[in-house]
Amino acid sequence: MKLFERFRKVLSNFYTTTRTWLQPSHISDGIKVQGSYIFPAESEPHEATIMGLPSRCSLPPDQYDAMCNELAQLAAAITEFEPVRLYVRPEEVQLAESLVKTFVKDALKISIIPCPINHCWVRDTGPVYVRDMTGAFPNRRFAINFRFNEWGGKRPEDDGICWGQQWPLMNEKALQENADFARWVIEHDREPSPVTQVETPIRAEGGGLVTDGEGTLLITESSIVCDVRNPGMSKGEIEIELKRLLGIEKVIWFPGRRNVDITDVHMDAEARFVRPGVIAYSKPHAVAIDLWQELSTEIREILDRETDARGRRLQIHTIEEPDPRGLVKSDHDELSASYVNFYFVNGGLIIPKFGDRERDQKALEIFQALLPERVIRQVYANAIPLTGGVLHCVTQQVPATK
């Protein structure tokens, strides 16, 4: 508890000194501009995909090997469409090379990059790549560093029990590496050109930001309007900054729920844009706990009455989640099993396969109908959802330069 209070004080002091950054953007090479950016639709062409091999201090020991195998199989599927940049701790490079040799047909499509990384959840820990909207820097590449802070300071309790599993406890060095990961990636990304870091006073995670690339953002209040991420900042102040950073004209807010999961409800597991105006919505299985049923119904009701930034009524396609019974190892396990936590690749879409044959097949058919112009691939995932995420959570797109 004392550590948590000290952490909150640090955040509060940081906010006090950085609140004046709400308008300008500070650029890493010393140039200061009135920054205005746009987060491209994830379906736009990618330069590459970022992934990360987890450290051994970031996962339950009995899940580590299975997690690495599933990440390698996902990376292999992605390389059929675009290059993968796999960030790996130096001591795990040999393991990464072995995984690539085992699962990847074309090893040249994967770059193994040694770096200080722990979490494989690069959607949340990594940079969010954006483009300049001012026209002042047509040839620059930009990425936002949201300064990851363990989803609002969440850590396993002293006994390490979380999600029904025994987790290792990260030391302060590892936690600092997690906070620095986005900056490290930005500073070392030189392909096809260097990247300029976009500073912001707000903290957020990429999984909480669902956009259509045309000015609409879906986000939960619980995942960003909170003192553990953005102390002292109002919903209005946060919205202004999100509009500046992401090229947003309309924010559709959902209440969400604090502490119902480690992310405080990220929208990338609840509803995603298939294309502007068209949303894939995740419906919990009938055996899901009442809280998730209530939360999901609330999200659907808001989507049903909203319009996007262009004034269009949203077309919503329901995709039912799999039956978690039979997919978990014990009654204490929790499973993150959303088909809408998919990942766009160049010319394709990669969706999860959980092991519920009926629901897996139905999800495949729905996405094939929604995206006939794309190749749809399914990748099996069990260790990934048992430890808190799905495919979108462990990937981050690097948009192609225009």
Side-chain angles (χ1 to χ4, degrees):
M1 182 59 69
K2 290 181 179 179
L3 178 62
F4 179 70
E5 289 301 321
R6 290 202 303 271
F7 185 68
R8 288 191 64 177
K9 287 180 181 178
V10 170
L11 283 181
S12 179
N13 291 338
F14 183 84
Y15 168 71
T16 300
T17 59
T18 59
R19 189 169 181 174
T20 56
W21 294 359
L22 274 172
Q23 292 305 316
S25 175
H26 298 258
I27 294 187
S28 56
D29 60 6
I31 300 173
K32 187 182 292 186
V33 299
Q34 192 78 11
S36 181
Y37 308 92
I38 186 167
F39 184 27
E42 295 182 29
S43 56
E44 289 193 23
H46 301 170
E47 196 74 45
T49 291
I50 289 173
M51 294 185 68
L53 201 67
S55 71
R56 295 181 184 272
C57 73
S58 69
L59 291 171
D62 62 350
Q63 292 285 10
Y64 186 79
D65 289 341
M67 174 68 101
C68 290
N69 287 341
E70 288 181 13
L71 290 169
Q73 291 173 68
L74 173 59
I78 294 172
T79 60
E80 295 180 29
F81 303 89
E82 62 191 61
V84 171
R85 300 174 182 177
L86 183 62
Y87 291 85
V88 181
R89 294 193 72 82
E91 60 267 30
E92 302 296 353
V93 166
Q94 187 173 355
L95 170 61
E97 291 173 342
S98 175
L99 289 167
V100 169
K101 184 177 180 180
T102 301
F103 294 106
V104 181
K105 292 179 181 178
D106 184 358
L108 296 177
K109 297 291 287 292
I110 290 192
S111 301
I112 296 174
I113 304 171
C115 80
I117 184 174
N118 294 292
H119 289 304
C120 62
W121 315 112
V122 296
R123 176 66 50 180
D124 293 344
T125 63
V128 173
Y129 286 80
V130 292
R131 295 190 180 119
D132 171 53
M133 284 185 66
T134 67
F137 305 100
N139 299 316
R140 276 187 187 265
R141 299 171 66 218
F142 293 88
I144 305 166
N145 176 8
F146 278 114
R147 297 170 295 111
F148 178 73
N149 74 337
E150 304 297 322
W151 302 279
K154 294 186 182 65
R155 298 167 63 176
E157 300 298 330
D158 291 341
D159 61 5
I161 300 297
C162 182
W163 281 54
Q165 301 177 77
Q166 181 76 41
W167 293 70
L169 299 177
M170 289 192 189
N171 59 29
E172 294 303 318
K173 178 176 180 292
L175 293 172
Q176 188 60 53
E177 288 172 342
N178 299 342
D180 292 340
F181 177 67
R183 178 185 56 78
W184 195 98
V185 172
I186 292 170
E187 290 179 352
H188 291 80
D189 184 353
R190 295 291 183 267
E191 295 294 333
S193 61
V195 180
T196 293
Q197 179 168 281
V198 177
E199 306 282 2
T200 175
I202 64 173
R203 290 185 190 267
E205 297 96 31
L209 310 172
V210 172
T211 70
D212 62 355
E214 292 189 358
T216 311
L217 170 68
L218 312 181
I219 192 168
T220 59
E221 293 183 37
S222 55
S223 69
I224 193 167
V225 187
C226 51
D227 283 346
V228 291
R229 288 179 176 86
N230 297 300
M233 294 192 74
S234 70
K235 178 179 171 181
E237 289 174 318
I238 291 170
E239 180 169 319
I240 289 171
E241 179 68 347
L242 288 172
K243 287 180 174 179
R244 179 183 78 85
L245 292 171
L246 305 175
I248 299 302
E249 299 168 25
K250 179 173 184 178
V251 180
I252 300 177
W253 288 97
F254 303 84
R257 298 291 188 280
R258 290 277 295 135
N259 297 316
V260 69
D261 69 348
I262 196 171
T263 71
D264 301 311
V265 187
H266 278 175
M267 280 304 297
D268 69 346
E270 308 303 323
R272 298 279 305 287
F273 285 101
V274 174
R275 62 173 58 85
V278 181
I279 284 179
Y281 156 78
S282 187
K283 182 179 180 180
H285 192 273
V287 301
I289 63 173
D290 291 344
L291 181 57
W292 279 112
Q293 301 280 6
E294 174 188 291
L295 175 64
S296 182
T297 299
E298 183 178 78
I299 289 171
R300 178 59 190 257
E301 289 174 350
I302 293 172
L303 290 172
D304 281 339
R305 64 174 182 257
E306 278 288 356
T307 57
D308 65 12
R310 302 291 178 88
R312 293 172 291 215
R313 293 298 297 268
L314 300 171
Q315 298 177 30
I316 303 167
H317 298 267
T318 299
I319 303 180
E320 296 182 344
E321 295 178 8
D323 187 342
R325 297 169 297 186
L327 305 181
V328 295
K329 297 179 180 179
S330 78
D331 293 340
H332 301 291
D333 287 340
E334 295 185 43
L335 188 77
S336 178
S338 168
Y339 293 104
V340 308
N341 199 268
F342 52 72
Y343 182 63
F344 277 108
V345 288
N346 294 337
L349 182 78
I350 300 180
I351 66 173
K353 177 190 292 185
F354 297 108
D356 180 331
R357 290 186 180 181
E358 181 180 348
R359 296 289 172 87
D360 287 347
Q361 180 62 30
K362 184 62 176 177
L364 177 61
E365 292 171 359
I366 291 173
F367 283 114
Q368 285 176 331
L370 288 173
L371 294 162
E373 74 281 9
R374 287 181 177 265
V375 176
I376 312 296
R377 288 275 190 274
Q378 277 190 308
V379 173
Y380 177 74
N382 182 255
I384 297 174
L386 278 174
T387 50
V390 202
L391 308 188
H392 191 249
C393 302
V394 296
T395 51
Q396 179 68 264
Q397 69 278 358
V398 180
T401 54
K402 284 193 172 183

